[in-house]
Amino acid sequence: TLVGDSAGGNLVSTVTIRSLRDGIRIPDSLVMVYPAVNLTKMLTPSRIMNVEDPLISAHFLLMCSHSYLPTDVDPLKNPLISPLFAADDLLRRFPQTYIMGAGYDPLLDDYVEFTRKLVDLGVDVVFKLYPDLPHGYLNLCKIFPRCLQTILDSGLWLQCCVAK
């Protein structure tokens, strides 16, 4: 099982894509927490509504993109950068996946679309939205005690995966 939040969620999905491409063993399951699956500069409703998010504002997202990506790379064409745009033949082979989202998150629309793609391709996916929490809530458990419940929820899902 691979687990990652935000950029770590991107890494979880890209490791899976790379493993599928290279013909090596993929993880048995994935847990992705508010994953960054679209590194393009596309405007989405959640990005517009959360443009001044205190943790990942629009400016911060642009700064990350400029720092991470060479200028000659198109994140729309590279699924190892933006897993949302990976080919269906790769995504349909994803393992069982648990995706946790935050209601106050500029990336929400991206991972909801990613979840829909996986479901439409027949992947065993559970999506759990915590509408009252912001992106990055796993780092804010002292401020948002409810984030502890999100950890327990994902732990219960993992227990069920192991039991299968």
Side-chain angles (χ1 to χ4, degrees):
T1 299
L2 292 180
V3 179
D5 77 311
S6 197
N10 178 287
L11 290 172
V12 162
S13 55
T14 58
V15 163
T16 303
I17 291 167
R18 186 66 186 255
S19 298
L20 287 164
R21 279 184 171 177
D22 293 349
I24 60 175
R25 184 177 185 269
I26 64 168
D28 293 328
S29 58
L30 305 176
V31 176
M32 301 167 66
V33 186
Y34 37 78
V37 293
N38 177 1
L39 273 61
T40 68
K41 296 172 187 156
M42 290 179 183
L43 288 179
T44 63
S46 64
R47 287 185 188 194
I48 293 168
M49 289 178 59
N50 293 286
V51 72
E52 293 299 324
D53 183 277
L55 295 175
I56 58 169
S57 66
H59 175 73
F60 180 76
L61 286 172
L62 283 174
M63 182 186 71
C64 289
S65 178
H66 289 296
S67 298
Y68 180 68
L69 298 175
T71 56
D72 62 335
V73 172
D74 182 356
L76 190 62
K77 296 179 181 172
N78 189 333
L80 297 178
I81 294 171
S82 293
L84 175 61
F85 305 110
D88 289 354
D89 66 309
L90 291 171
L91 293 178
R92 78 171 31 98
R93 296 186 290 157
F94 261 49
Q96 55 191 343
T97 302
Y98 187 80
I99 300 175
M100 296 165 43
Y104 298 104
D105 187 355
L107 306 181
L108 176 62
D109 294 331
D110 302 331
Y111 54 78
V112 165
E113 185 177 348
F114 186 73
T115 301
R116 283 189 185 130
K117 278 182 91 169
L118 293 176
V119 168
D120 289 347
L121 293 167
V123 177
D124 180 6
V125 180
V126 173
F127 178 77
K128 180 80 173 173
L129 179 66
Y130 299 92
D132 56 331
L133 293 175
H135 183 93
Y137 62 75
L138 288 180
N139 299 299
L140 304 168
C141 288
K142 289 188 180 190
I143 298 170
F144 299 104
R146 180 158 151 62
C147 86
L148 296 173
Q149 183 60 51
T150 72
I151 295 167
L152 293 172
D153 292 345
S154 62
L156 287 173
W157 182 83
L158 280 170
Q159 285 179 335
C160 290
C161 289
V162 171
K164 287 183 181 179

